[in-house]
Amino acid sequence: MANLATGTAPKKLPRRNASMGDRIFDILNITFLCLLMVVTLYPFLNTLALSLNRAMDSIRGGIYIWPRDLSFENYKFVFSQSTIFHATLISILRLVIGSITTVFCSAMVAYTISRQEFVLRKFITIAFVLTAYVNPGLIPNYLNIRDLGLIDSFWVYIWPGLIGVFNLILIRSFIDGLPESILESGRIDGAGEFRTFFNIVLPLCLPVLATVALFTAVYQWNSWLDVFLYNSSNIKLSTLQYELQKILQNSSASSSAASAFSNPEAAANAVTPLAVRSTMTIVASVPMIVMYPFLQKYFVKGMMVGGVKG
């Protein structure tokens, strides 16, 4: 395009030719990343193919990333269980309430112990850190939960893990990296501690809070041992992971093989532990896979805590 002021065409910058070393590096880098992508995606694609393949056909093996005999009977079997949908609702409630309360309470405590003027900051920090190294064991934990009246209660999923040591340290490190002048400007304008926390600290800590929310959501969604220990007798408080685990235990290769020999027509729709396990993996992982892209940019920023000091 001609220069409007002089009427002459702009000079073209000389193109820098890549050296042989740069080309070799690019080729090796692209090859390595492609191999890494294949290694990362193959287990998931293989599991998805097994879940979409007819169960009795999967026993033959030879299924990689594409189902050989497409069938949705595995998913019909899993979702035909009467407790699945109610357990899914409990898992969603547990994920939402647990993530919100954990992030909020951890942020409040992290902000408190990050203040230099707080007298007990060192004592409280040491008390929290010691819990990461000293574990009383399963029986004392159970007795503590029982004495707190949390057995057969939904809140047993929330209160025991309300403030995690790792989350606390992560948020506190992020707050320590914030410019003190921003907090001082709020105090000069008359903001108290609560207003400073809600109006200044929380918006600035959004990346690390999203990171902690993702960690907490994954834990709440995948946890099933606390259901087994504290709420196994109450079917109304059962979660999706616990119900899927019971389905896997109830399905056995011997019963599927027996049904195949006794009733040939049922062989086509029979399920096996391998098929059930693959289907369970897909059902349990899809919500996390869907949620992760929305938090990815905050997750990357939050994991860079302390990387750059301004």
Side-chain angles (χ1 to χ4, degrees), residues 59-273:
I59 299 177
R60 296 164 46 197
I63 299 175
Y64 300 103
I65 63 174
W66 193 260
R68 182 171 50 225
D69 189 354
L70 183 63
S71 175
F72 295 97
E73 292 300 325
N74 299 326
Y75 289 93
K76 291 181 180 179
F77 172 79
V78 170
F79 288 108
S80 65
Q81 309 301 314
S82 59
T83 58
I84 284 295
F85 294 100
H86 184 269
T88 302
L89 177 61
I90 296 297
S91 294
I92 294 175
L93 290 176
R94 174 179 180 173
L95 185 150
V96 174
I97 298 175
S99 300
I100 293 175
T101 54
T102 296
V103 169
F104 180 73
C105 293
S106 298
M108 289 189 66
V109 176
Y111 173 71
T112 302
I113 63 177
S114 67
R115 298 299 86 207
Q116 298 291 337
E117 59 271 17
F118 182 53
V119 179
L120 299 177
R121 59 190 298 269
K122 291 185 179 180
F123 172 77
I124 294 180
T125 302
I126 294 174
F128 272 106
V129 172
L130 284 178
T131 61
Y133 295 96
V134 181
N135 190 347
L138 182 61
I139 295 178
N141 277 331
Y142 181 85
L143 296 177
N144 186 36
I145 295 297
R146 184 197 64 184
D147 294 339
L148 291 174
L150 295 178
I151 300 296
D152 288 339
S153 171
F154 174 81
W155 299 108
V156 75
Y157 305 144
I158 309 299
W159 301 132
L162 195 60
I163 300 176
V165 180
F166 176 77
N167 299 335
L168 188 66
I169 296 175
L170 193 65
I171 299 176
R172 179 193 168 180
S173 300
F174 194 93
I175 294 176
D176 288 337
L178 297 177
E180 188 66 26
S181 59
I182 298 179
L183 304 181
E184 289 296 334
S185 63
R187 295 190 180 95
I188 293 174
D189 292 338
E193 294 297 338
F194 281 100
R195 187 174 180 182
T196 301
F197 174 73
F198 284 104
N199 293 354
I200 299 177
V201 175
L202 283 184
L204 293 177
C205 291
L206 187 59
V208 70
L209 296 181
T211 303
V212 173
L214 181 61
F215 290 158
T216 307
V218 172
Y219 164 76
Q220 293 286 3
W221 182 259
N222 292 329
S223 182
W224 64 270
L225 183 60
D226 49 2
V227 186
F228 173 74
L229 294 175
Y230 310 123
N231 288 336
S232 58
S233 60
N234 192 345
I235 192 64
K236 295 182 179 180
L237 296 176
S238 184
T239 60
L240 176 63
Q241 298 292 342
Y242 185 61
E243 290 301 318
L244 293 178
Q245 190 256 355
K246 289 197 301 183
I247 293 174
L248 180 61
Q249 287 184 342
N250 294 333
S251 63
S252 63
S254 59
S255 61
S256 298
S259 64
F261 284 108
S262 60
N263 187 0
E265 295 182 357
N269 298 329
V271 295
T272 62

